[in-house]
Amino acid sequence: MHLFARAVRAYLVLICLFVASQLFSQPAPKQTFPWSNTSLSPDERATLVLKQMTLDEKITLLHGTGHHGLGPMSPLSSGSNGGAGYVVGIERLGIPGIQMSDAAYGVRSSGQNGRYSTALPCNLAAAATWDLKGAYEYGALIGRELRAQGFNMSLGGGVNLTREPRNGRNFEYLGEDPILAGSLVGQLIRGTQDQHVLGDIKHYALNNQESGRNSVNVNIDERSMRETDLLAFEIGIRDGDPAGVMCSYNRVNGEYACDNKYLLTDVLKRAWKFPGFVLSDWGAAHSIEKASAAGMDHEEPNEYFYGARLKEAVQSGKVPMSQVDDHVHRILRTMFATAVIDDPPQKSVVDVMAGFDTAQHIAEEGMVLLKNEKNVLPLDASRIKSIAIIGGHADVGMVSGGGSAQVDAPGGNAIMPAGKRATTWGVPVWFPTAPLKAIQAKAPNAKVEFDPGTDLDSAASLAKGADVALVFAWRAEIEGADAPNMSLPGNQNDLIAKVAAANPNTVVVLETGNPVTMPWLDQVSGVLEAWFAGSSGHKALANILFGDVNPSGKLPITFPKSEADLPHPTINKPDPAVQPHGPDAWRQTLEGIPAFQTKYDEGLKVGYKWYDAEKKPVLFPFGYGLSYTTFKYSGLKLTPAEKLSVTFTVKNTGNRAGTEIAEVYAGLPLSSGEPPKRLVGWERVELKAGESKDVSVQIEPLFLSAFDPQQHAWKKSAGEYTILVGGSSANLPLHQALALQ
Ligand code: BGC
């Protein structure tokens, strides 16, 4: 046979053999180890692994492998799945790597990695639902999509309280109340971890402003921090049992958070008995011995401290091996407890349609109707003839929150600035969820016209002839910067005033991740806060505008009248001259940069507690939100038991079905020195037109306690409490005094 033909035949035979071997071969049996035994506890399993590990292997688990722009990349980062963090596994012992992805309101960088992920409404919007089941679903969706994309750890779970309403990350957090925020984040984490993905809670602690976040030193007394920001973490960790706690960039009372023994050991690991691991925020680690002794278990994103230098410190006896073992044990036991070893992620197609539904449902529950004069809303699709849609790029899409939380828009940024990539840090990302299209679909017979709002006269003239004018106003928010003030940027305030002067039926739709001031409030008929509304925001919005969904969201954050009313009218900022800059900035930051001081002397008075105590009127209070129907409260009854039982009746007194978030507040005995009242419970009550329901809310003893700094413990004071019930922190028609021992 011709030599060439022989070669071809031999090649074909080889291919057939290869295909047959692939078809008929069995997968290699999974190697089993003593710690593969799932009937052992996570701690027992971790102890068995630890006994087999060399010091190098232990150290491998204690650091990441690099992040572009934040120092050198390890060659091992080539095993990364494209997330913000990658920890190399110990293959010899069957311990997988940890693939971490940011996932505040959806999986970050999916587009960049050639994948897709759902953008849920921003976390603040989720907080406006006050819906614990919804928060679980929110976290579960994130967990499913992380798994489908090959990740086994979420870096979501932001729960820093809103002390500063200009903070550029408030959209990633859950508002200003520790009990609401902590309860919601606990459910969110539970939802994620039930998908066998390690959860996280962040940024621990008191990282309440972005300005100078690497150098700010927060001064605060123990009682205030335990009852405010730390209480949100305490509840979130208790309810959600997260794998990781991310220590933050800032200092607290003189120590960096990741070096802070009080925060990491005394409170987190001792008082709260947290069994998981503490990981540094990206570049928030600052030392070896100090951090290890304080309780930081893992450094991200690289190994500046917790690599070769930690090894040396162990070998020279500066860091005891027992401490390293504790760091490693915490990581391993948590990986077993969350089943990421027994049930590793399987890459698959994200369930896009289910994502749309969940995102829409949460957006519908979270939008807050702030004003509705003369019942301008809902719009009547059968009667309305013309709608003017003005501003906010409402013909193209809706804006989203930026920074490490950013979820990529399908198809790229719907408003792509020239010369930029689909996701460029600092450039707002617009989702292709055009309100214009969703509104036109609801009212096919109406003339729906758009004006971009750049020319005020042109916008006013379109508004003048229309039955209703909908003005879309927005403000982007981004990690790493605070807003300069509480105003809508650009010409938007003037635009709204001008349109409102031209059309008495003007409704403003806000797409913001923070409260904004509203100098035009008296001139408009309606205001709807839509937040950053996610992948199905336009549909949720249209359903609310046309009354297919009755709004039920309530503010998780106060809308103050002006900056002058804030506890800190101006944000303390660092001297730009001492800020690190240049290509070596990452190293300067790690080595430590001079601190500037901020004093949280408002103490316990965070959010509504400040405005209540200082008797400052606000634009819209915490807990406020309108419905297209009305509710009446009656019949308050208090039954003291281990958990105080608060019962009352809510009646829907209007003519359409609706959901009322019924809120329960407590005033503590005067001697306790607490602000006038605090939220202690709530219930979402669904009511048909005319229907009444009896509601019963059980109040946890912790929620009626104050922190005693002498004894470093929560204490319930004896004395007279007041329980107040109603539909917002400023409208509590039911109240009753109660003497407790
Ligand atoms: C942020 C974290 C984030 C991390 C990784 C940091 O800059 O503060 O929230 O998880 O980067 O992207």
Side-chain angles (χ1 to χ4, degrees), residues 348-369:
S348 62
V349 179
V350 163
D351 188 344
V352 181
M353 305 318 263
F356 281 157
D357 287 349
T358 305
Q360 181 170 334
H361 177 66
I362 292 169
E364 287 170 351
E365 283 193 346
M367 290 185 185
V368 185
L369 183 61

Side-chain angles (χ1 to χ4, degrees), residues 173-523:
Y173 303 147
L174 295 159
E176 68 192 24
D177 182 80
I179 296 179
L180 179 64
S183 306
L184 288 167
V185 83
Q187 292 311 308
L188 186 154
I189 294 164
R190 197 160 276 289
T192 300
Q193 294 201 154
D194 281 353
Q195 311 310 310
H196 300 169
V197 168
L198 302 169
D200 166 56
I201 192 167
K202 70 185 185 184
H203 307 87
Y204 185 67
L206 292 143
N207 180 183
N208 308 87
Q209 68 176 57
E210 288 296 282
S211 307
R213 64 181 181 177
N214 287 297
S215 48
V216 62
N217 177 32
V218 171
N219 295 280
I220 185 169
D221 65 279
E222 185 182 17
R223 174 175 174 188
S224 298
M225 82 171 115
R226 290 296 303 265
E227 289 193 28
T228 60
D229 297 64
L230 266 55
L231 178 57
F233 281 92
E234 180 170 0
I235 298 168
I237 291 168
R238 182 196 68 181
D239 294 357
D241 190 19
V245 170
M246 190 189 288
C247 51
S248 54
Y249 286 122
N250 53 293
R251 293 167 167 99
V252 176
N253 293 333
E255 292 289 8
Y256 278 116
C258 297
D259 273 348
N260 200 308
K261 179 175 163 293
Y262 173 78
L263 288 178
L264 305 185
T265 296
D266 300 351
V267 178
L268 178 66
K269 292 183 177 176
R270 294 220 178 105
W272 299 344
K273 302 186 173 50
F274 171 65
F277 65 99
V278 173
L279 68 160
S280 74
D281 198 345
W282 270 229
H286 294 284
S287 64
I288 305 166
E289 290 111 87
K290 191 169 183 184
S292 172
M296 186 187 91
D297 299 299
H298 176 98
E299 178 186 4
E300 282 293 338
N302 38 35
E303 50 183 305
Y304 190 74
F305 299 110
Y306 273 21
R309 290 164 74 190
L310 174 60
K311 185 175 174 186
E312 220 177 274
V314 176
Q315 285 167 336
S316 63
K318 287 191 194 131
V319 170
M321 184 67 95
S322 58
Q323 238 166 246
V324 167
D325 283 352
D326 180 54
H327 300 321
V328 176
H329 192 275
R330 285 171 172 276
I331 295 172
L332 290 171
R333 63 89 50 208
T334 302
M335 290 177 83
F336 284 119
T338 318
V340 300
I341 297 178
D342 301 325
D343 182 21
Q346 305 287 332
K347 281 198 181 176
S348 62
V349 179
V350 163
D351 188 344
V352 181
M353 305 318 263
F356 281 157
D357 287 349
T358 305
Q360 181 170 334
H361 177 66
I362 292 169
E364 287 170 351
E365 283 193 346
M367 290 185 185
V368 185
L369 183 61
L370 295 174
K371 179 169 183 182
N372 194 21
E373 229 170 55
K374 299 176 285 166
N375 293 329
V376 63
L377 294 177
L379 305 175
D380 183 344
S382 65
R383 294 240 215 106
I384 198 154
K385 296 206 176 53
S386 56
I387 304 175
I389 297 189
I390 294 164
H393 304 288
D395 57 331
V396 177
M398 296 178 92
V399 76
S400 60
S404 61
Q406 183 71 62
V407 174
D408 293 336
N413 194 341
I415 304 177
M416 185 89 80
K420 302 277 189 202
R421 286 175 291 114
T423 309
T424 302
W425 191 278
V427 175
V429 171
W430 294 77
F431 274 65
T433 48
L436 179 68
K437 284 185 210 146
I439 290 166
Q440 179 74 80
K442 286 277 178 198
N445 301 322
K447 191 160 101 190
V448 181
E449 287 179 288
F450 178 71
D451 183 284
T454 33
D455 178 315
L456 304 193
D457 291 330
S458 141
S461 97
L462 179 69
K464 203 171 175 63
D467 289 348
V468 65
L470 303 177
V471 189
F472 285 79
W474 64 284
R475 195 177 83 188
E477 303 284 352
I478 170 107
E479 174 183 341
D482 297 320
N485 51 44
M486 294 203 316
S487 177
L488 286 168
N491 72 353
Q492 298 186 94
N493 283 334
D494 292 342
L495 173 68
I496 295 168
K498 190 99 188 201
V499 170
N503 188 321
N505 296 326
T506 293
V507 175
V508 178
V509 176
L510 292 167
E511 292 170 46
T512 72
N514 256 325
V516 288
T517 47
M518 304 183 196
W520 34 259
L521 185 61
D522 290 342
Q523 294 151 259

Side-chain angles (χ1 to χ4, degrees), residues 525-549:
S525 297
V527 183
L528 178 69
E529 176 57 86
W531 314 108
F532 302 145
S535 294
S536 303
H538 56 324
K539 294 198 176 148
L541 175 69
N543 275 346
I544 286 191
L545 291 175
F546 287 88
D548 299 292
V549 169

Side-chain angles (χ1 to χ4, degrees), residues 642-699:
E642 198 196 327
K643 282 188 177 178
L644 170 69
S645 171
V646 179
T647 52
F648 50 93
T649 305
V650 187
K651 180 170 184 181
N652 180 344
T653 45
N655 54 11
R656 63 165 77 210
T659 298
E660 168 72 336
I661 299 169
E663 304 165 30
V664 181
Y665 292 80
L668 268 60
L670 271 181
S671 60
S672 68
E674 289 289 316
K677 64 175 178 286
R678 58 164 76 157
L679 179 75
V680 291
W682 66 93
E683 182 82 32
R684 289 178 56 87
V685 194
E686 281 178 34
L687 293 164
K688 296 189 203 94
E691 191 185 7
S692 284
K693 269 187 193 163
D694 294 336
V695 179
S696 169
V697 181
Q698 317 304 315
I699 312 298

Side-chain angles (χ1 to χ4, degrees), residues 606-618:
V606 175
Y608 60 93
K609 294 167 188 162
W610 166 260
Y611 304 100
D612 266 10
E614 302 291 314
K615 300 198 170 34
K616 286 182 191 285
V618 298

